[in-house]
């Protein structure tokens, strides 16, 4: 057991480098071992559960009480994060016409629209030097309502052309999110807050291993598709980056009255959705390949946006220092 803890701790301390390695494994190993990612897809709910339990177990809301006494910003950000993308997708599909697109792509957009922000939203805020309190509260608020809003939003965006079993989707999301929160609460009671903090590296190691398996499941066949259908991949990647960066810029401009940091967090949360949870809730192994391909490419802006923003922030600070 001691050796296992040591190994997990070493893995967990790799940070961004470990995420890069995991992403590379997920992208390139399926080229050598075709079908590995597909075989792992039935285990997607377990991987997502590990992410959720890990995140909930390490949440510390003791510093959030002051923010909760002024809920207007949080309510505004929650509404924006959960409704901006669905409204954009609905307007776009209604204007252009859903029949002009592959039904599997419409399904992809619909599931993306109904998803809550990614679990890494507070971590991104921390990396960029933004106070994580607002990001944590926004994540909790959106995750709490997702089982109830997702069936409505997904069906609204999909329209009548894509049948969605809203009850099954909502039930599965409720079980996964609620069950993970209960397991995390039990873990905190069993270990105690101090031991959870002491095991932070080991928990990060477990998370990184789960992320590697998640990347394998997501990126299976993506590299081969790049050579077989490059235009398709470029188009889907463009949509992914347009949604991510566009949401960020619109929120920064439209919500600046909330404060620069809060507007940035809201924009990031709006454009980066937890599609893995949606795939798991719909028994991901049965989703169409085009949906899997789009979901895989959505991971690119999730990984690259903080680095792009961080580079701009560093350049801006450098210019200020010189001035």
């Amino acid at each position: 057991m001691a050796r296992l803890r040591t190994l997990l701790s070493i893995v967990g301390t790799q940070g961004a480098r470990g995420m890069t390695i995991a992403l590379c494994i997920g992208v390139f190993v399926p080229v050598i071992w075709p079908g590995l990612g597909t075989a792992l897809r039935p285990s997607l709910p377990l991987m997502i559960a590990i992410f959720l339990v890990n995140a909930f177990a390490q949440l510390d809301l003791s510093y959030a009480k002051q923010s909760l006494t002024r809920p207007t910003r949080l309510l505004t950000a929650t509404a924006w994060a959960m409704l901006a993308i669905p409204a954009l997708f609905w307007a776009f599909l209604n204007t252009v016409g859903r029949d002009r697109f592959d039904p599997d792509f419409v399904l992809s957009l619909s599931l993306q629209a109904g998803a809550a922000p990614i679990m890494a939203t507070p971590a991104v805020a921390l990396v960029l030097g933004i106070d994580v309190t607002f990001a944590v509260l926004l994540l909790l608020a959106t995750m709490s309502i997702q089982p109830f809003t997702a069936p409505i939003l997904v069906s609204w965006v999909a329209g009548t052309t894509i049948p969605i079993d809203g009850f099954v989707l909502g039930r599965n999301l409720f079980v996964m999110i609620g069950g993970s929160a209960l397991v995390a609460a039990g873990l905190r009671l069993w270990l105690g807050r101090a031991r959870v903090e002491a095991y932070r590296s080991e928990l990060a190691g477990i998370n990184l291993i789960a992320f590697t398996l998640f990347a394998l499941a997501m990126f299976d066949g993506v590299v081969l598709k790049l050579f077989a259908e490059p235009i398709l991949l470029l188009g889907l990647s463009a949509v992914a980056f347009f949604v991510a960066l566009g949401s960020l810029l619109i929120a920064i401009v439209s919500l600046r009255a909330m404060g620069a940091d809060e507007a940035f967090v809201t924009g990031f949360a709006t454009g980066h959705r937890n599609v893995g949870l949606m795939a798991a809730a719909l028994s991901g192994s049965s989703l169409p390949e085009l949906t899997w391909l789009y979901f895989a490419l959505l991971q690119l802006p999730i990984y690259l946006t903080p680095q792009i923003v961080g580079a701009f922030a560093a350049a801006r600070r450098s210019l200020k220092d010189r001035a």
Side-chain angles (χ1 to χ4, degrees), residues 29 33 47 66 76 88 94-95 104 142 148 168 268 270 293:
V29 167
W33 192 349
M47 302 172 202
Q66 185 177 356
T76 301
L88 173 66
N94 262 29
T95 302
D104 296 344
T142 52
F148 309 101
V168 171
F268 184 87
T270 303
L293 182 61

Side-chain angles (χ1 to χ4, degrees), residues 5 57-60 184-185 187-203:
R5 282 191 57 192
Q58 298 184 63
L59 280 178
D60 182 7
L187 189 64
R188 287 177 69 96
L189 286 173
W190 176 44
L191 295 176
R193 180 176 170 182
R195 291 178 70 186
V196 169
E197 287 295 321
Y199 293 157
R200 184 173 291 273
S201 295
E202 289 87 339
L203 292 173

Side-chain angles (χ1 to χ4, degrees), residues 224-235:
L224 297 178
K225 277 280 187 182
L226 178 61
F227 293 101
E229 300 180 77
I231 301 301
L232 174 63
L233 259 72
L234 289 174

